[in-house]
Amino acid sequence: RSRMKYNTISFNAAIGSCEEDGEWEQALQWFSKMTQAKVQLDTITFNTAISACEKAGKWESALQLVNVMSLSRLRSNTTTLNASISACQKAGEWEKAVEILDGMSLVEVELDT
């Protein structure tokens, strides 16, 4: 039986598929499997998982991922921030959305071009 070697791209594709199907818990399971397999996480990994949480209205999970992303020393970009703010907005957590906006001036954000 051959063993498939997973990489960042294959895990990101799995997380993205879950995100598109509204399967936020599955997306987070793939995210967890990725870390357990010691596969390199990237901005796309985090943004896709954050977006999956945002679409499901799971603002706390989205913000936890933003914190983990920061601890991983990966730069947030406008996609990260937009998904985070949207997750808060959908849950009626406008105070948290304002905190994120305020924090944008305190951290360097890589802008999407």
Side-chain angles (χ1 to χ4, degrees), residues 12-76:
N12 285 350
I15 295 168
S17 178
C18 294
E19 182 243 350
E20 288 175 12
D21 289 342
E23 299 289 338
W24 71 277
E25 290 171 309
Q26 242 349 71
L28 294 185
Q29 286 177 7
W30 279 108
F31 184 93
S32 180
K33 289 177 186 179
M34 190 173 182
T35 58
Q36 291 169 6
K38 297 185 182 351
V39 175
Q40 180 68 46
L41 304 169
D42 63 11
T43 302
I44 294 169
T45 308
F46 280 95
N47 285 348
T48 307
I50 291 166
S51 181
C53 293
E54 176 262 331
K55 288 180 178 177
K58 301 298 180 183
W59 66 274
E60 290 170 315
S61 296
L63 296 186
Q64 286 175 346
L65 287 166
V66 172
N67 287 334
V68 172
M69 184 178 189
S70 177
L71 293 172
S72 300
R73 301 190 187 268
L74 288 172
R75 280 193 195 182
S76 299

